[in-house]
Short mmCIF file of all heavy atoms in Angstrom, two decimals:
data_model
loop_
_atom_site.label_atom_id
_atom_site.label_comp_id
_atom_site.label_asym_id
_atom_site.label_seq_id
_atom_site.Cartn_x
_atom_site.Cartn_y
_atom_site.Cartn_z
N VAL J 329 40.38 -3.62 51.71
CA VAL J 329 41.27 -3.75 50.43
C VAL J 329 40.69 -2.94 49.29
O VAL J 329 41.53 -2.52 48.44
CB VAL J 329 41.31 -5.22 50.04
CG1 VAL J 329 41.94 -6.09 51.19
CG2 VAL J 329 39.96 -5.90 49.73
N ALA J 330 39.45 -2.67 49.31
CA ALA J 330 38.82 -2.00 48.12
C ALA J 330 39.16 -0.50 48.16
O ALA J 330 39.06 0.25 47.12
CB ALA J 330 37.32 -2.14 48.21
N MET J 331 39.81 0.03 49.29
CA MET J 331 40.03 1.40 49.43
C MET J 331 41.48 1.80 49.13
O MET J 331 41.91 2.91 49.23
CB MET J 331 39.62 1.91 50.78
CG MET J 331 38.20 1.78 51.11
SD MET J 331 37.76 2.09 52.87
CE MET J 331 38.26 3.79 53.02
N GLN J 332 42.30 0.77 48.87
CA GLN J 332 43.80 0.95 48.91
C GLN J 332 44.50 0.67 47.64
O GLN J 332 45.76 0.68 47.64
CB GLN J 332 44.39 0.23 50.08
CG GLN J 332 44.08 -1.25 50.20
CD GLN J 332 44.76 -1.80 51.46
OE1 GLN J 332 45.97 -2.03 51.42
NE2 GLN J 332 43.97 -2.11 52.45
N GLY J 333 43.79 0.43 46.57
CA GLY J 333 44.59 -0.02 45.36
C GLY J 333 44.25 0.85 44.09
O GLY J 333 43.85 1.95 44.19
N LEU J 334 44.51 0.23 42.91
CA LEU J 334 44.42 0.91 41.71
C LEU J 334 43.05 1.48 41.34
O LEU J 334 42.84 2.53 40.83
CB LEU J 334 44.87 -0.03 40.55
CG LEU J 334 46.33 -0.39 40.52
CD1 LEU J 334 46.68 -1.50 39.62
CD2 LEU J 334 47.20 0.86 40.20
N GLY J 335 41.97 0.70 41.77
CA GLY J 335 40.61 1.16 41.54
C GLY J 335 40.37 2.39 42.30
O GLY J 335 39.70 3.32 41.76
N ALA J 336 40.79 2.48 43.53
CA ALA J 336 40.55 3.65 44.35
C ALA J 336 41.34 4.85 43.83
O ALA J 336 40.88 5.99 43.77
CB ALA J 336 40.95 3.36 45.81
N ALA J 337 42.57 4.52 43.36
CA ALA J 337 43.41 5.62 42.80
C ALA J 337 42.73 6.21 41.54
O ALA J 337 42.83 7.41 41.28
CB ALA J 337 44.79 5.03 42.53
N GLU J 338 42.17 5.29 40.76
CA GLU J 338 41.54 5.77 39.51
C GLU J 338 40.37 6.77 39.84
O GLU J 338 40.22 7.76 39.23
CB GLU J 338 41.01 4.64 38.70
CG GLU J 338 40.34 5.08 37.42
CD GLU J 338 39.54 3.97 36.68
OE1 GLU J 338 38.92 3.23 37.43
OE2 GLU J 338 39.44 3.98 35.46
N PHE J 339 39.60 6.40 40.86
CA PHE J 339 38.47 7.31 41.17
C PHE J 339 39.00 8.65 41.71
O PHE J 339 38.45 9.67 41.39
CB PHE J 339 37.57 6.63 42.26
CG PHE J 339 36.30 7.47 42.43
CD1 PHE J 339 35.25 7.23 41.66
CD2 PHE J 339 36.20 8.45 43.47
CE1 PHE J 339 34.04 7.98 41.78
CE2 PHE J 339 35.16 9.15 43.66
CZ PHE J 339 33.95 8.91 42.78
N VAL J 340 40.07 8.64 42.53
CA VAL J 340 40.63 9.85 42.98
C VAL J 340 41.02 10.76 41.79
O VAL J 340 40.78 11.95 41.78
CB VAL J 340 41.84 9.64 43.83
CG1 VAL J 340 42.65 10.88 44.14
CG2 VAL J 340 41.44 8.99 45.20
N LEU J 341 41.63 10.15 40.81
CA LEU J 341 42.19 10.97 39.68
C LEU J 341 41.19 11.24 38.55
O LEU J 341 41.33 12.35 37.89
CB LEU J 341 43.39 10.15 39.01
CG LEU J 341 44.65 10.16 39.80
CD1 LEU J 341 45.64 9.19 39.23
CD2 LEU J 341 45.34 11.53 39.91
N TYR J 342 40.17 10.52 38.41
CA TYR J 342 39.23 10.61 37.24
C TYR J 342 37.78 10.62 37.67
O TYR J 342 36.91 10.99 36.85
CB TYR J 342 39.40 9.45 36.31
CG TYR J 342 40.81 9.31 35.70
CD1 TYR J 342 41.79 8.59 36.25
CD2 TYR J 342 41.07 9.91 34.45
CE1 TYR J 342 43.03 8.43 35.75
CE2 TYR J 342 42.34 9.79 33.89
CZ TYR J 342 43.33 9.05 34.52
OH TYR J 342 44.55 8.95 33.93
#
Side-chain angles (χ1 to χ4, degrees):
V329 296
M331 298 171 64
Q332 52 179 287
L334 292 169
E338 182 194 34
F339 190 85
V340 167
L341 288 169
Y342 299 88

